[in-house]
Amino acid sequence: MSRYLKILLLLLPLQLSSVTARADGSDFSLPFDFPVLFSGNFAELRSNHFHGGVDFKTQGVVGKPVHAVADGYVSRVTVTPGGYGNAMYVTHYNGYTTVHGHLEKFMPAIERLVRERQYKDETFAVDISFGQDEFPVRRGDVISLSGNTGYSFGPHLHFEVRETESNELVNPLFFYKNHVRDTKAPKAYEVALYPRPGKGSVNKGTKRCIRKINGTTIGDTLRAWGDIGFGVKAYDYMDNTSNNYGVYRTELLVDDSLLFSSTMDRVAFSENRLINAWVDYEAYYNRGEWYMRSHLLDNNPLRLLSVDENRGWLRVDEERLYRVEYILADIHGNISRYKFYVKGERCDIQQINSRAAQYFRWDVDNELRDLGMRLKIPKGELFEDAALRVERTEQPDALSDRYNLNGVTHPLWRGCELSIRMKKIPVEGIEKCYIKYVRGRGGYGVGGVYENGWMKTDVSSLGCYEVSIDTVAPVVRPVNEKQWARSGTLSFYMSDSETGVKSYKGYIDGHFRLFKFSSKNVRLTCNLKAEGVSRGTHSLRLVVTDRAGNETIIEKTFKY
């Protein structure tokens, strides 16, 4: 064991205890009374965000009692068709708030209040906050039942720990690592080498090089010159389950000097989109593969990452072998190591034309005007300098030409303003027009406001856009209608592929009745017994409206 690694293992417990005063788990008990297994861990890489908590397995079923993990009070509940589904927030007296997502039901008193609010506002989605004295809970109290609601694709409990004062997400395994068996070290599958634009070369080229890991090394020695960065595709594992997880700690050493480390301790919501600056976004966007960079792009203040004075970039300026080592560790102290070599080989490095008209710098305000398109990117929104290429496709019969910004999408931290000039105003009305993000043969609406011949909106990435029109009403069709009387549940498929569904309301015999919508299977359902509908023949009126004002109305008689 190297001297450096020994020091790391000695410091690790101190690092964990700095995040919470009671990292031994005594602050929190378990939310379940059965053995703990996880299907997801903290800060796993997800689309545009880090996974904010851990996912407790619930033995493959819904309806498991969820217990309060410490004294406190229920401070908030939310109901949404996607996301967390039914979620409960419990503020504890120890300085933390726990969030429980994808629940089947809340405690009875809160369940009644939620239903009252849904009927009062005639809406499925609700967000209700409570005072400290309204719903106090003690450690061990049953506060809800586990479920599979929202954007969940299997029964489990999504569980977050947030520091109440800052609302920052804290790794729940600080409290629960002693409750799960884990003897498996993280495993790396591939490494990537990135020549720094204008400053580096790998194998005499400017493109990323990827190599598979065989055992604990890669099969060949890569050649490089100038500044190069590294990345790794890796996952963690635990005992008694086949799931893979995010890696808690990653370190990169070159010639025994630490260039980079990542540690999944805590993350703020404002940092979530910085995941796109850390990972190889092009690889994720095109192939769904996650490579964690071990160097920082010019604009990446993500606190999970730590680098040397060269921001994790290795300067290859000698014709010799550079010894590279990755060390991966989980929160239980299981460690894996991977070693390979990079050979310094002198070569010419292709320079960047930073004077090009479409070269954008991340540290200044940028504006691009191209005939019928305007793009304003504020300072700090790009993660690195970008040489943008704007490709305009003329569309004579369309509302606008199509503009492709760089072909491969460039992510932004928060967003920027995009305006596209319209060629004509459709007879259907300007209120039905919107800016469309185009991908392949499909795409989706990103909104838009009309101003003096231009459609304007905010976008979060630089891709392919055009102005489109939505004159098509939402698709609403019955599902298993012949089974309604027997099942006691009205079911509809509901979708809108252009601007999206804005609202829906269902009425039975002229009275509002609650229909629940699930975004994961685009189903709209009404449980007739739960909504107080008696046996007999009834009339149904279902009104669904999209964001362009198009409306679908279903009126029919049904027997129950």
Side-chain angles (χ1 to χ4, degrees):
M1 180 180 293
S2 70
R3 177 176 177 271
Y4 173 79
L5 191 55
K6 290 179 180 178
I7 294 174
L8 169 65
L9 294 177
L10 288 173
L11 292 178
L12 190 57
L14 297 177
Q15 182 180 18
L16 300 186
S17 63
S18 69
V19 177
T20 173
R22 301 291 292 278
D24 58 358
S26 58
D27 269 69
F28 289 134
S29 59
L30 288 169
F32 295 110
D33 55 7
F34 50 81
V36 172
L37 288 175
F38 296 115
S39 57
N41 70 344
F42 181 73
E44 283 181 351
L45 308 179
R46 304 286 175 89
S47 177
N48 293 318
H49 72 287
F50 297 94
H51 188 230
V54 293
D55 291 337
F56 283 91
K57 291 190 175 186
T58 56
Q59 300 179 328
V61 298
V62 303
K64 293 288 186 180
V66 179
H67 302 269
V69 298
D71 294 353
Y73 63 97
V74 178
S75 54
R76 181 187 179 196
V77 293
T78 60
V79 177
T80 57
Y84 296 162
N86 296 339
M88 174 180 284
Y89 298 66
V90 181
T91 299
H92 304 282
Y93 303 127
N94 59 10
Y96 296 102
T97 294
T98 54
V99 181
H100 311 72
H102 309 307
L103 301 172
E104 180 70 13
K105 288 183 178 297
F106 304 114
M107 64 173 69
I110 292 180
E111 191 76 14
R112 288 193 295 271
L113 282 176
V114 167
R115 182 178 176 83
E116 290 173 4
R117 177 67 65 85
Q118 288 172 323
Y119 269 82
K120 176 184 176 182
D121 296 344
E122 295 192 357
T123 179
F124 170 56
V126 296
D127 187 338
I128 309 174
S129 296
F130 303 110
Q132 184 171 346
D133 299 326
E134 292 185 75
F135 292 101
V137 297
R138 300 294 300 271
R139 181 196 300 257
D141 287 352
V142 175
I143 56 175
S144 60
L145 299 179
S146 69
N148 187 30
T149 58
Y151 209 65
S152 166
F153 293 91
H156 72 280
L157 173 70
H158 175 80
F159 181 85
E160 295 177 1
V161 177
R162 302 184 185 181
E163 188 178 67
T164 302
E165 183 176 359
S166 67
N167 199 38
E168 289 189 358
L169 296 154
V170 175
N171 193 336
L173 282 179
F174 292 147
F175 303 96
Y176 294 117
K177 68 174 185 175
N178 294 332
H179 293 277
V180 61
R181 179 176 173 80
D182 183 2
T183 62
K184 297 181 178 180
K187 185 176 180 180
Y189 293 90
E190 294 178 345
V191 294
L193 270 69
Y194 301 88
R196 194 171 190 173
K199 296 183 178 180
S201 172
V202 176
N203 287 348
K204 296 185 177 181
T206 60
K207 295 183 178 180
R208 169 196 59 207
C209 289
I210 295 175
R211 293 292 185 270
K212 291 186 179 298
I213 294 176
N214 299 316
T216 59
T217 187
I218 62 177
D220 60 350
T221 299
L222 292 164
R223 298 162 293 143
W225 194 252
D227 287 358
I228 62 171
F230 297 86
V232 62
K233 183 166 73 173
Y235 300 99
D236 193 16
Y237 300 89
M238 295 184 185
D239 294 7
N240 304 315
T241 177
S242 60
N243 296 89
N244 60 54
Y245 309 91
V247 178
Y248 171 68
R249 184 170 175 86
T250 302
E251 296 176 349
L252 174 68
L253 291 82
V254 176
D255 296 335
D256 292 328
S257 294
L258 183 65
L259 269 66
F260 168 92
S261 66
S262 62
T263 309
M264 302 307 187
D265 284 340
R266 62 192 296 155
V267 65
F269 285 98
S270 61
E271 296 176 301
N272 262 327
R273 283 188 60 87
L274 289 175
I275 191 173
N276 296 326
W278 179 28
V279 303
D280 183 335
Y281 186 80
E282 182 180 349
Y284 166 69
Y285 180 81
N286 288 325
R287 303 190 304 277
E289 295 183 307
W290 293 111
Y291 293 90
M292 299 174 287
R293 294 178 182 267
S294 301
H295 55 276
L296 295 187
L297 300 183
D298 295 326
N299 181 28
N300 183 4
L302 185 60
R303 294 173 301 162
L304 294 170
L305 313 180
S306 178
V307 294
D308 67 352
E309 65 278 2
N310 204 33
R311 297 176 63 82
W313 294 94
L314 172 64
R315 180 151 298 162
V316 180
D317 54 7
E318 299 179 53
E319 293 185 300
R320 65 175 178 87
L321 289 178
Y322 292 78
R323 187 174 67 256
V324 184
E325 181 178 18
Y326 267 111
I327 301 175
L328 309 180
D330 63 23
I331 203 168
H332 294 86
N334 301 302
I335 295 173
S336 57
R337 304 161 72 104
Y338 301 89
K339 299 180 180 180
F340 57 96
Y341 291 91
V342 171
K343 183 179 181 181
E345 187 173 289
R346 190 181 302 273
C347 70
D348 293 331
I349 296 174
Q350 182 176 333
Q351 299 301 302
I352 295 175
N353 181 13
S354 60
R355 296 183 179 180
Q358 297 173 346
Y359 186 83
F360 279 15
R361 288 175 49 187
W362 71 268
D363 57 347
V364 299
D365 292 333
N366 300 274
E367 184 170 359
L368 176 65
R369 293 174 177 264
D370 185 273
L371 298 177
M373 186 272 297
R374 300 171 184 165
L375 184 69
K376 295 181 180 180
I377 305 179
K379 172 182 176 181
E381 287 303 316
L382 287 167
F383 296 129
E384 60 181 335
D385 294 350
L388 299 183
R389 300 184 310 276
V390 180
E391 299 175 359
R392 180 167 64 95
T393 301
E394 293 188 7
Q395 301 185 119
D397 298 326
L399 295 178
S400 77
D401 292 334
R402 176 178 295 180
Y403 296 89
N404 190 0
L405 304 169
N406 257 41
V408 175
T409 297
H410 281 256
L412 302 170
W413 187 348
R414 290 162 292 259
C416 71
E417 181 182 289
L418 171 67
S419 300
I420 298 178
R421 183 172 61 84
M422 296 185 64
K423 295 181 175 182
K424 57 184 178 181
I425 304 297
V427 295
E428 294 85 354
I430 194 65
E431 66 278 0
K432 294 189 179 299
C433 297
Y434 66 99
I435 292 182
K436 180 179 182 179
Y437 174 84
V438 181
R439 187 173 186 184
R441 296 183 178 179
Y444 51 85
V446 293
V449 176
Y450 179 76
E451 290 184 2
N452 300 321
W454 294 74
M455 187 65 65
K456 181 175 71 173
T457 192
D458 290 331
V459 297
S460 58
S461 60
L462 305 181
C464 188
Y465 295 94
E466 66 183 11
V467 176
S468 188
I469 185 170
D470 183 3
T471 59
V472 180
V475 176
V476 184
R477 60 173 180 263
V479 176
N480 296 327
E481 187 174 0
K482 294 181 179 179
Q483 305 297 320
W484 287 1
R486 184 180 62 83
S487 67
T489 299
L490 307 185
S491 181
F492 291 86
Y493 170 88
M494 182 177 74
S495 179
D496 188 275
S497 61
E498 296 188 61
T499 55
V501 172
K502 180 180 180 180
S503 65
Y504 63 87
K505 289 185 179 182
Y507 300 88
I508 297 178
D509 300 331
H511 300 285
F512 173 81
R513 289 291 184 263
L514 184 64
F515 278 73
K516 299 180 179 181
F517 181 63
S518 172
S519 62
K520 64 190 173 191
N521 61 6
V522 290
R523 291 294 187 272
L524 189 63
T525 58
C526 177
N527 184 313
L528 297 173
K529 181 178 180 181
E531 302 313 313
V533 179
S534 61
R535 291 283 180 175
T537 300
H538 302 277
S539 63
L540 168 68
R541 178 179 171 85
L542 183 61
V543 182
V544 181
T545 308
D546 66 19
R547 298 184 185 279
N550 303 301
E551 193 174 74
T552 296
I553 299 176
I554 301 292
E555 293 183 318
K556 59 170 55 242
T557 299
F558 68 92
K559 292 183 178 180
Y560 167 47

